[in-house]
Structures are given as structure tokens and as C-alpha cells.
Amino acid sequence: MNSFFSFNKFRFLTLNVILILFLFLQSCYTPKSIKATVVSARQEASAIGASVLAKGGTAFDAMIATDLALTVCYPNAGNISGGGFFVYRTSQGEVGSLDYREKAPLGASAKMYLDEEGNVLPDKSTLGGLAVGVPGTVAGLVAIHQKFGTLPWKELVQPAIDLARDGYIVTEMQAQSFESAIEQFSSINGSETFYAQGFKKGDRVKNIALAETLERIANLGKAGFYEGENADALVERVKETGGIITHDDLIQYEPVWREPIHFKYKDLDIYTMAPPSSGGICLGQIMKMIEPFNIGQYNQNAQEAVQIIVEAERRSYADRSLYLGDPDFVSIPTKELLDISYLNERMASFNFEQATNSSAIAPGTVVWEESEETTHYSILDTFGNAVAVTTTLNGSYGSKVYVESGGYFLNNEMDDFSSKPGVPNMFGLIGGEANAIAPQKRMLSAMTPTIVEKNGALSMIVGTPGGSTIITSVLQTLLNVYEFEMDIQTAVSAPRFHHQWLPDVVVFEPNRFENDFILKLQEKGYNIKEEYTRIIGRVDAIHIAEDGTIQTGADPRGDDTAVSLY
Ligand code: DON
């Protein structure tokens, strides 16, 4: 009896040990689930944002710390001296957006980039002081903190100050980026300028001047940038380099809370940026034009799918050039542009046999040399608040004008205006009266920070840099997930293509599409030129599956990294 009992007891204990061991091993091999995350262009910035989340901060708090960290370690696009758009969805499901886009200075005028014969003066809207729009970033961050901040402002600025003082490590891609711009840094700012030191991969960059500017912002908030010592330095530097921004411009700058563009696509509710970004209206138009084609019946990047997308893009970018601008200056027929019968009618001229011709107008000369130099980040906190932010200096390092005592570059956002109707800007985009320059007007953007709900629940946070390709990159990420059933990382990494009406060219990412495939499209009349191929977008996204599983997509085209809490 006794021995039987001990034998059973022994077996019972052994089984239990095996079970515990099994559960332990299973927990080792089961991927841990993400509870909150920051996906941005740099590991340091994502880590700083995640550390704010880890100490109980919200996505709104983390957004401020992440943004300022990008200013330090991603100076080509991260900024306190540019502008951006912020789209949010609170854990309660409230949705909104902030426009802190740059504005034209008070002294700006419609013809400021034209010579006496009315021709566009080369480089004036892209390089040097005249290219600089009145910055909106610091005012934007302060407004977001006032409305949503839960941690003290100073505490959120401090990590960026520390990063500027302790230094960030130059990545390989960043070293290339510095190298490609070093001549312009020197020619505009002199060979002694901070970023002309020739930083190499692995170098530690300590930007003490920027740390001091950030300290001023930490102590004084908006006034730390728009008034006093920083304002004096900024105005003087702009003047020295041929620009017209004054103290009045800085003092008068205010960001604007705007109703996001909202549209439905199948079981999705998509919230994205309204004008002065064209992103929301164009994304809405393109998706609504695609919806009736049931594009999910094709494979991702199948010829038919590409044709449908390109033709919808063509029609939407044509509308963009005519109707879109700053809503505080021009009236925009938003409802009509997103009207389903209007959009169906627009697509009625499309057939699978032959490409539609963009226009009789000859395409302008396009400069594709700018790489992806805006930046986007997506944040989800443990409470369920979601934040999508796209921010920019426009070109890489903006106007290349460096405020030495402040430690930062100034934007060249003025190039996003239409300097002259029909003449393309640096992204080849054409505009007209609606996007003409006027004092205190905001230039039209393509930035598309976007939040998606599926069946009423938060489903995706997404956005990207890429100038005119921003809208089409966000679009393809959405379609890759919701139509072609990819996980978010695969959707972000997948090859992309782009079309924008004029020039009448479809751009494909280099070496990522089969030659046969390109040939077939060319036979149908699509204009595809090798010399236009380029990297398209750097998407940073978060996907929340219907069972609540959170996944991140950080674009391998850049140094983009997700840092998550588990
Ligand atoms: O607002 C816009 O649409 C542009 N200034 C964005 C510039 C950009 O994405 C640069 N990256 N290629």
C-alpha cells in the first residue's frame, strides 16, 4: 500500500515538474506581447519616447520627448525650426489633429521667387534665408502639452537636452547624409559651421548649442523659441542669408486645431490630416476610387492592382493641383472632392487595356535628388491613446541655413508653395492660385499622419516622409494590410511605386520589380523611366489586430526602430 502510494506520489510530482517545465519553456518561446510602443526614425528617439511611456506618461507626453530627441539626433528632418501635423485618437475614441505647419512671413508675396520676366529664380525657394517659413514646431508641442500633457513640460524636454549634451552616435546612413550635404553646409554657413566637421559613422556628436536652446525651451516654453535670445539669433541668421522673417512673424505664430479628414473604406474609418495638407483629401479620394474594384482579389503589386492604384492617384493629384491650399485663405470643396459619385465618374474613363494620358501639358523638370527627409513617428501608450506625427524641414537639413548659436537648421518649407502656376516644385508638384504665396499663409503639404479604426476599434497608426510620395506610401501600407493581408512589418517593407499625375511617369523602387512586369505596363502605355527610380517613403507604423495583438512596422529603408514595452 505504502509503496503503491509513494509510487503514485512520485508520478504525480514528476508530472507536475514536467508541466511546470513545459509552461516555463513555453513562456520562453512565446513572443512577449507589446503593451505600448514608439516607432520612429531613430533608436534613441524611440527609446526616449518609450521611457516616458514606461514611467506612466501618455502617448502625448511621449510625443514631445520623441520629437525633441529627433531634433537632436536626426537633424536632417527632426526639428524645432520646421513644422508638422499631429493626428490623435484618445483611449476614449476622440479624434483630432493639430496643424503646426510653417507660415509665409508677413513680408512674403506671390511673386517673391520670380525675376522681372516672371521666371522662377533658381534655388531661392529651396536654399538660403528666403526659403525659410515661420517655424511652427515649438508652438505645436507646447499646444499639445497644454491640452493633453500629464507629465511636467520640463521633464519631457530634459531627455533631449541630455542627448544633445551626451551626444548621439552617427549611423552609416547618417554619415552618408552628412557627406552629401557638407558642401552646401559650408557654402551657406562657412567652413567652420558645426555640421561641416565631417562626422563619420560611429562618431559621437555633442551639440551643446542645441542643448542650451532646448534648456531655454524647457524653462520658458514657447517664449524660449519665439522670443528673446533665440528669436534674435534666428531673425539675424535669416537676414544674413537673404531672408525676411521678423520678430513679428515669430510672435504671431499660432498652431491650429483642425477637424481631421474622415472617410470610410469598407469596415475601416480612416482619420487623417486636413488642409493645409493635401494628404487626407488625396488619400480619401484615391481609396474611394479604388474601393469599387475589390482590389484584394488581385495579388499585392499584381499588374491590375498597380493599374487601379496608379489611375486613382493620377486623378487625385490632378485635383490636388487645382483645389488645395491653406483653408484659412482659400475655400476648398472637401465634400465634393470626396463625393462618391464624383469619384466614380472620375474613374469611369479608366480601362485595363490602356493607360490614361495625364495631360496635354508637357511634364515639368523634376528634381528627385532629395532623399526621404521629413520624418514620421507613431506612438501607442498603455492606456490606448494613439498619436501619429509627421514633421519636416522640407528638404534634407531644410534651407541648409544653420543657426550656429542655437544648434539647428532652418526649414525650406516655402518651396511647398506654388512659386508660379504650372512650374513644379522640388517634388515635381504643380499648383496654382489655391497654393500661391501670401503673407501668413500655410504652404500646401502632402504629409499624411493617419489613424485607422476597424469596426470602431483602434487598428493602425501610420505615416511616412517622402514629399509627394507620402500619400501613395501611406496608401500602399494600408492596402497591404487590409486588402493583401500582410502583417505590418511586411506591409511596410514591401516594394512601393508612385504616380502623381504630372510628370506622367510611374516611379518604381529600384531593383524590386521584375523587368517583365515593367515591360507589360509599358506596353499598356505607362511611362516608366529608369532614371526616376528611387527609394520611396520610410513608413513607421503600429497595427493593433482585432484580438488586441500589437505589432510594429519600422521601415528598413532607414535607421527606423520600434522600442516597445512588454
Ligand atoms: O509638407 C510636405 O509635403 C513636404 N514638405 C514634405 C517633405 C518631405 O517629405 C521630404 N522628404 N522627402
Side-chain angles (χ1 to χ4, degrees), residues 36-38 44-67 69 145 149-160 379-383 563 565:
T37 187
V38 181
E44 299 90 328
S46 297
I48 282 175
S51 72
V52 171
L53 298 179
K55 64 176 176 186
T58 62
F60 305 104
D61 297 317
M63 175 269 171
I64 291 159
T66 305
D67 205 285
H145 186 256
T150 66
L151 297 179
W153 170 254
K154 274 191 184 183
E155 215 174 288
L156 300 172
V157 184
Q158 192 59 45
I379 304 180
L380 175 66
D381 66 21
T382 49
F383 312 102
V563 176
L565 307 188

Side-chain angles (χ1 to χ4, degrees), residues 402-550:
Y402 193 68
V403 181
E404 219 70 50
S405 62
Y408 56 87
F409 287 99
L410 292 168
N411 70 79
N412 62 347
E413 219 70 57
M414 290 296 284
D415 188 63
D416 274 347
F417 277 118
S418 174
S419 294
K420 184 181 174 178
V423 175
N425 73 357
M426 78 184 188
F427 299 107
L429 291 166
I430 286 170
E433 212 39 55
N435 190 31
I437 306 169
Q440 295 205 303
K441 189 176 175 184
R442 288 172 157 94
M443 51 299 275
L444 186 61
S445 172
M447 293 192 281
T448 315
T450 298
I451 292 181
V452 181
E453 286 175 359
K454 185 167 183 174
N455 298 319
L458 178 65
S459 178
M460 198 193 289
I461 310 165
V462 60
T464 181
S468 55
T469 71
I470 289 174
I471 301 162
T472 59
S473 298
V474 169
L475 167 78
Q476 287 168 84
T477 311
L478 294 175
L479 295 177
N480 287 350
V481 170
Y482 295 112
E483 290 285 11
F484 305 120
E485 296 177 2
M486 292 178 177
D487 66 79
I488 190 70
Q489 185 58 63
T490 313
V492 165
S493 309
R496 290 195 274 264
F497 57 93
H498 170 73
H499 178 65
Q500 60 180 50
W501 175 56
L502 290 178
D504 192 350
V505 170
V506 188
V507 179
F508 286 85
E509 280 194 291
N511 311 319
R512 301 207 62 189
F513 291 82
E514 298 289 333
N515 277 347
D516 268 8
F517 173 83
I518 301 279
L519 276 174
K520 281 194 189 124
L521 282 170
Q522 283 171 326
E523 278 164 18
K524 291 198 179 280
Y526 290 93
N527 206 356
I528 298 161
K529 291 185 180 159
E530 279 302 310
E531 64 265 31
Y532 284 94
T533 58
R534 58 177 292 211
I535 298 292
I536 299 174
R538 276 183 194 167
V539 177
D540 284 340
I542 301 167
H543 181 242
I544 303 98
E546 277 161 284
D547 68 359
T549 310
I550 298 163

Side-chain angles (χ1 to χ4, degrees), residues 26-306:
Q26 198 194 28
S27 78
C28 292
Y29 289 106
T30 307
K32 290 182 283 177
S33 52
I34 296 176
K35 294 200 167 60
T37 187
V38 181
V39 195
S40 86
R42 290 282 300 215
Q43 193 276 339
E44 299 90 328
S46 297
I48 282 175
S51 72
V52 171
L53 298 179
K55 64 176 176 186
T58 62
F60 305 104
D61 297 317
M63 175 269 171
I64 291 159
T66 305
D67 205 285
L68 294 172
L70 285 165
T71 303
V72 176
C73 63
Y74 199 57
N76 52 320
N79 66 82
I80 47 175
S81 45
F85 297 111
F86 160 82
V87 175
Y88 67 87
R89 181 184 186 276
T90 66
S91 54
Q92 305 304 309
E94 291 146 24
V95 179
S97 68
L98 184 71
D99 160 5
Y100 54 97
R101 180 74 161 162
E102 298 92 325
K103 295 176 97 167
L106 287 157
S109 61
K111 296 185 177 169
M112 64 189 276
Y113 299 119
L114 304 183
D115 66 15
E116 276 147 26
E117 272 100 59
N119 299 314
V120 176
L121 292 158
D123 295 342
K124 283 285 179 210
S125 65
T126 55
L127 277 179
L130 201 59
V132 185
V134 182
T137 299
V138 175
L141 298 185
V142 168
I144 291 162
H145 186 256
Q146 280 168 352
K147 190 170 165 102
F148 290 113
T150 66
L151 297 179
W153 170 254
K154 274 191 184 183
E155 215 174 288
L156 300 172
V157 184
Q158 192 59 45
I161 298 173
D162 297 340
L163 185 63
R165 282 200 187 283
D166 300 343
Y168 65 91
I169 304 297
V170 175
T171 67
E172 189 168 347
M173 281 194 201
Q174 193 164 37
Q176 286 165 11
S177 163
F178 286 147
E179 201 184 320
S180 68
I182 204 161
E183 251 174 55
Q184 282 177 324
F185 293 162
S186 302
S187 75
I188 293 185
N189 305 297
S191 56
E192 298 298 301
T193 185
F194 183 75
Y195 273 108
Q197 291 179 55
F199 293 118
K200 299 274 178 299
K201 180 187 170 193
D203 285 352
R204 183 180 286 273
V205 180
K206 297 182 183 186
N207 190 341
I208 305 304
L210 182 55
E212 284 166 4
T213 305
L214 290 168
E215 263 158 12
R216 249 173 254 129
I217 293 169
N219 292 329
L220 304 171
K222 196 179 162 196
F225 185 84
Y226 292 89
E227 295 174 42
E229 213 172 307
N230 185 67
D232 293 346
L234 192 158
V235 168
E236 193 188 321
R237 189 73 193 112
V238 166
K239 198 170 166 197
E240 279 167 5
T241 50
I244 53 174
I245 291 178
T246 62
H247 282 90
D248 270 357
D249 281 310
L250 295 177
I251 294 285
Q252 289 185 34
Y253 185 87
E254 290 293 342
V256 186
W257 293 98
R258 295 193 194 273
E259 205 50 40
I261 294 289
H262 168 229
F263 64 92
K264 283 183 179 290
Y265 180 87
K266 299 190 173 173
D267 52 3
L268 309 176
D269 280 272
I270 299 182
Y271 297 92
T272 179
M273 200 60 217
S277 181
S278 60
I281 290 183
C282 290
L283 184 67
Q285 282 197 306
I286 297 169
M287 290 192 85
K288 298 304 279 181
M289 281 189 266
I290 290 173
E291 193 174 15
F293 289 88
N294 190 19
I295 202 167
Q297 69 183 293
Y298 307 107
N299 288 334
Q300 189 253 359
N301 285 347
Q303 184 186 306
E304 293 87 345
V306 171

